[in-house]
Amino acid sequence: MGAAALHSRPQLRAEAAAGLRSRGTAWVVVDAADADAVAAAIESCPTGALHYRRLDGGLQEQPPAETTVEPRPNGPLFVRGAVRIVDADGHLIREDTRAALCRCGSSENKPFCDGSHRRIGFTTGPDGSKQ
């Protein structure tokens, strides 16, 4: 299942601070970056499109104790926690610690957000409801 990486400004700052740089759209090059900084930058990925596996004995990513759903202004739902997403038949689509779910209805990668909300001009009201 494909996933579009929606990078937030704080995530891009964290990636730069960790010494990460993009290679096209498919790879992130870590070069001489510190493993803890790389892990922190990847964990700031709001969509869960970026992951890591520590080979140095450092801690692996842990889900937050509480699962939360945060509606982003004019954008997706950011879900954090022990996330288990199943289809209408109960088949597992994804198990993760982070996900960005579509709420505009236009994603080509439902239930995940692919950034279509920007293309269609999706907006939410002050209370977060769709306008």
Side-chain angles (χ1 to χ4, degrees):
M1 178 123 318
L6 301 174
H7 294 279
S8 65
R9 282 188 179 87
Q11 178 193 355
L12 292 174
R13 284 193 291 272
E15 289 173 2
L20 304 177
R21 67 180 197 282
S22 293
R23 179 186 298 159
T25 57
W27 299 99
V28 175
V29 182
V30 295
D31 289 347
D34 171 79
D36 291 329
V38 171
I42 290 172
E43 288 180 21
S44 74
C45 172
T47 66
L50 298 176
H51 291 88
Y52 64 88
R53 184 170 51 99
R54 296 288 295 255
L55 302 176
D56 63 352
L59 291 176
Q60 303 300 331
E61 182 176 359
Q62 298 296 310
E66 181 179 21
T67 300
T68 61
V69 178
E70 177 191 353
R72 299 298 300 168
N74 306 322
L77 298 171
F78 283 176
V79 183
R80 303 286 177 277
V83 179
R84 183 175 165 81
I85 301 168
V86 297
D87 65 16
D89 297 322
H91 298 109
L92 181 65
I93 296 174
R94 184 161 138 193
E95 223 168 348
D96 212 326
T97 57
R98 297 168 275 128
L101 301 179
C102 176
R103 83 174 159 152
C104 75
S106 294
S107 175
E108 296 292 322
N109 192 29
K110 288 182 189 88
F112 305 104
C113 176
D114 69 358
S116 291
H117 57 276
R118 291 186 201 118
R119 179 180 47 79
I120 67 164
F122 176 77
T123 58
T124 56
D127 65 352
S129 62
K130 183 178 175 179
Q131 289 189 323

